[in-house]
Amino acid sequence: MDVAIIGIGLHRFGRSPELSGMQQGAAAVRAALADAGLTWKDMQFAYGGSQDAGNADALTNELGLTGLQFTNIWNGCATGGSSLHAACSAIKSGEYDIGVVVGFDKHPRGAFNPQPSEWGLDEWYGETGMMLTTQFFALKTQRYMHDHGITEDALIRVSEKAFLNGSLTPTAWRQQPLSYDEIANSAMVSDPLRKYMFCSPAEGGAALIVCSPEKARQLTSKPLFIKAAAVRTRHYGSFEVFAPSQAMDVADAPTVTASKAAFELAGIGPEDVDVMQLQDTDSGTEIIHMAENGFCEHGEQEKLLREGATGIHGRLPINTDGGCLANGEPVGASGLRQVYEICVQLRGEGGARQVPNQPRVGYTHVYGAPGLSGVNIITK
Amino acid sequence: MTQQIPIHEGLFSWPASKPQLLGSRCRHCAEAAFPAQPDCRSCGSRETDIVELGDRGTLWTWTIQTFMPKQPYHSDETEQTFTPYGVGYVEMPGGVRVESRLQQNTPEQLQIGMPMQLQIVPFRNHEDGSQLMTFCFTAVEE
């Protein structure tokens, strides 16, 4: 059974000093309800989460104490994907037929500073300066470039596309396109990744109204359908963040298994996808994720990027709203922003960033610490 | 002379004429881990032994930390005195890749596949006046 998406809402990403993270989540829910033509009282259940902006169920203080079932979800970067997965299960079980999924966040400026004890690690690992996500993505990208013949040109082109797409997206944080040279000459942060190749922690909110297909037929003429929602964690041997050691035999990343599971659930393959959102915490990981999600072979990215295949008018349009690079990463909201953008594209409401030829199949993918991945496949 | 103590017990054999990294190996599947842990991440067995992982390896991947990390990073440095440091995974003869600070801190000095030597070096001064020692790797001639 499919689950329908009948309302989508976003509070713009970036910095909103006048609003708490929770208020940005509430704004996203209100926007999603308005989009669906419904009210908060119509919601039977909610799943939601944030990393740094409070318990999602406190949103009821803003939206109304209606007594609905509200479950807080916290699952790192896959918080949004896990909330959506839980909502799909609630509807498929038959217990409920309409509800809301919400994610929001508000992080301090600068890189994240996770604490070793929260990740099952001893203090020395953090004290000696090895517990940084930026380092991990650089280490993984460095090895990937070595193994698969990827050059700095590809890293630059990913960022160039991201900021171009961001400039076409009214809700994006970064709205200025950056030239190839500006990116190539930006400061080296963690070799091989430069300043304009990393996303930053940010703020924002995103929400979706989901329901059973029967309910969708009553309520809207333009439903979208979730064909698959899959979340997977790491295997022994996959190269992951916050790992003082790694096994010698490298296993598939959790992205590979989540992607395969999602394609199996949906009964389609990567060749059937028209538009995709792939986690781009940095330009290196977007390149890696293109292959890990099955959209190309390892090493093929260099040529695809040079040809512009991943642009809005290319044959593999990736991160049409500028992705994490142009929107920043409010962890709780980021995964649902991806779903929001896919819905915009499938509805044909992308305006200046609309993928041509009426895309019918969309794909979203998140990856995060300490090695988990969430994939959704959405169709008209 | 200032007393020197390891930043954490059980990471390396020290003081010793040839300090070694210490890890654990599973009695059942023989997979190694660093630091040593009582449970095997590969097969789930709880029977592991502490083993020496060696003192030389090859560089598997690397990067350079150019900005001073926020807390939990805890060194004696300030924003003004911070020196960029290398970080990499070093493939050890004990059969595991270990993440480590590297003495080299420019791209010109680092290359995947190069041989690396374990060193035990001072990291920061402890509040009680002693000096905390940590492990790192440095590039060596073959």
Side-chain angles (χ1 to χ4, degrees), chain A residues 36-378:
Chain A
L38 296 168
T39 70
W40 179 242
K41 289 191 176 110
D42 298 316
M43 297 298 106
Q44 299 165 356
F45 70 85
Y47 288 95
S50 86
Q51 174 177 295
D52 291 337
N55 296 330
D57 65 340
L59 282 171
T60 52
N61 291 332
E62 298 247 353
L63 296 166
L65 301 168
T66 61
L68 86 170
Q69 174 189 309
F70 200 128
T71 306
N72 295 334
I73 301 268
W74 166 242
N75 207 9
C77 294
T79 293
S82 298
S83 296
L84 186 56
H85 180 266
C88 288
S89 298
I91 289 168
K92 285 181 186 176
S93 76
E95 187 173 1
Y96 294 115
D97 59 14
I98 190 163
V100 61
V101 177
V102 57
F104 55 92
D105 242 317
K106 188 178 180 92
H107 305 297
R109 286 168 195 274
F112 291 117
N113 59 330
Q115 301 301 309
S117 59
E118 289 175 20
W119 301 87
L121 296 165
D122 289 317
E123 296 300 326
W124 67 269
Y125 185 68
E127 288 182 7
T128 57
M130 290 192 277
M131 193 150 184
L132 286 95
T133 50
T134 43
Q135 261 176 23
F136 163 73
F137 290 123
L139 290 164
K140 185 167 179 181
T141 299
Q142 183 88 269
R143 182 71 202 190
Y144 192 87
M145 291 169 79
H146 173 268
D147 285 348
H148 300 292
I150 303 291
T151 70
E152 187 175 26
D153 177 70
L155 299 178
I156 297 165
R157 287 179 194 274
V158 169
S159 294
E160 193 181 17
K161 168 190 64 85
F163 292 111
L164 175 64
N165 292 357
S167 76
L168 305 173
T169 306
T171 53
W173 184 14
R174 315 284 188 195
Q175 305 236 343
Q176 292 298 317
L178 289 175
S179 72
Y180 186 98
D181 288 343
E182 280 174 296
I183 297 160
N185 295 324
S186 65
M188 189 60 86
V189 173
S190 263
D191 210 291
L193 299 171
R194 295 174 182 276
K195 179 183 172 188
Y196 292 135
M197 297 174 182
F198 274 113
C199 83
S200 301
E203 306 174 21
L208 307 168
I209 311 299
V210 292
C211 68
S212 65
E214 297 73 39
K215 193 94 176 169
R217 269 190 286 279
Q218 298 161 21
L219 292 172
T220 181
S221 58
K222 52 172 189 180
L224 298 169
F225 296 97
I226 302 168
K227 294 287 180 184
V231 177
R232 292 291 185 276
T233 58
R234 63 202 184 280
H235 301 270
Y236 180 72
S238 62
F239 182 15
E240 302 299 343
V241 65
F242 306 154
S245 69
Q246 313 262 4
M248 296 292 278
D249 293 327
V250 179
D252 279 344
T255 291
V256 174
T257 39
S259 176
K260 281 183 181 156
F263 279 123
E264 199 163 304
L265 282 166
I268 61 168
E271 65 283 1
D272 300 311
V273 175
D274 300 315
V275 55
M276 55 217 79
Q277 293 274 317
L278 306 181
Q279 182 89 341
D280 58 330
T281 42
D282 57 277
S283 53
T285 58
E286 179 171 313
I287 290 169
I288 296 169
H289 290 151
M290 286 168 66
E292 286 187 348
N293 284 288
F295 295 113
C296 67
E297 296 298 322
H298 292 290
E300 204 187 341
Q301 299 96 326
E302 183 89 6
K303 181 164 173 282
L304 289 169
L305 283 157
R306 205 173 298 137
E307 293 167 355
T310 64
I312 285 166
H313 297 276
R315 67 182 172 86
L316 289 171
I318 296 173
N319 295 333
T320 44
D321 62 353
C324 294
L325 286 169
N327 287 277
E329 192 186 19
V331 172
S334 201
L336 296 179
R337 170 190 54 77
Q338 296 183 329
V339 177
Y340 173 94
E341 172 64 9
I342 288 298
C343 292
V344 168
Q345 291 289 340
L346 298 184
R347 286 175 172 185
E349 296 170 355
R353 68 181 192 282
Q354 178 63 44
V355 167
N357 304 321
Q358 299 173 326
R360 298 193 55 81
V361 181
Y363 183 100
T364 71
H365 157 263
V366 291
Y367 166 83
L372 81 168
S373 194
V375 169
N376 299 295
I377 296 173
I378 298 157

Side-chain angles (χ1 to χ4, degrees), chain B residues 18-121:
Chain B
K18 264 189 92 178
Q20 303 275 309
L21 268 188
L22 298 177
S24 55
R25 188 180 309 284
C26 176
R27 283 187 204 168
H28 294 266
C29 72
E31 282 292 307
F34 174 84
Q37 55 176 66
D39 313 283
C40 175
R41 290 174 299 178
S42 177
C43 74
S45 147
R46 303 213 68 195
E47 296 182 79
T48 60
D49 297 310
I50 301 214
V51 292
E52 292 186 345
L53 297 173
D55 66 349
R56 274 184 90 121
T58 54
L59 191 61
W60 191 71
T61 185
W62 60 271
T63 189
I64 293 158
Q65 180 64 35
T66 60
F67 64 90
M68 181 157 153
K70 294 186 204 172
Q71 183 276 338
Y73 187 59
H74 188 183
S75 68
D76 290 328
E77 298 159 304
T78 64
E79 292 284 351
Q80 287 69 42
T81 63
F82 174 76
T83 310
Y85 56 93
V87 175
Y89 278 90
V90 178
E91 232 172 63
M92 299 303 293
V96 66
R97 298 189 180 109
V98 173
E99 188 176 9
S100 174
R101 286 174 69 109
L102 309 175
Q103 290 291 59
Q104 285 65 34
N105 66 358
T106 65
E108 296 73 28
Q109 297 169 296
L110 292 164
Q111 200 176 350
I112 287 174
M114 70 195 300
M116 307 295 290
Q117 172 68 46
L118 179 73
Q119 289 186 327
I120 308 302
V121 295

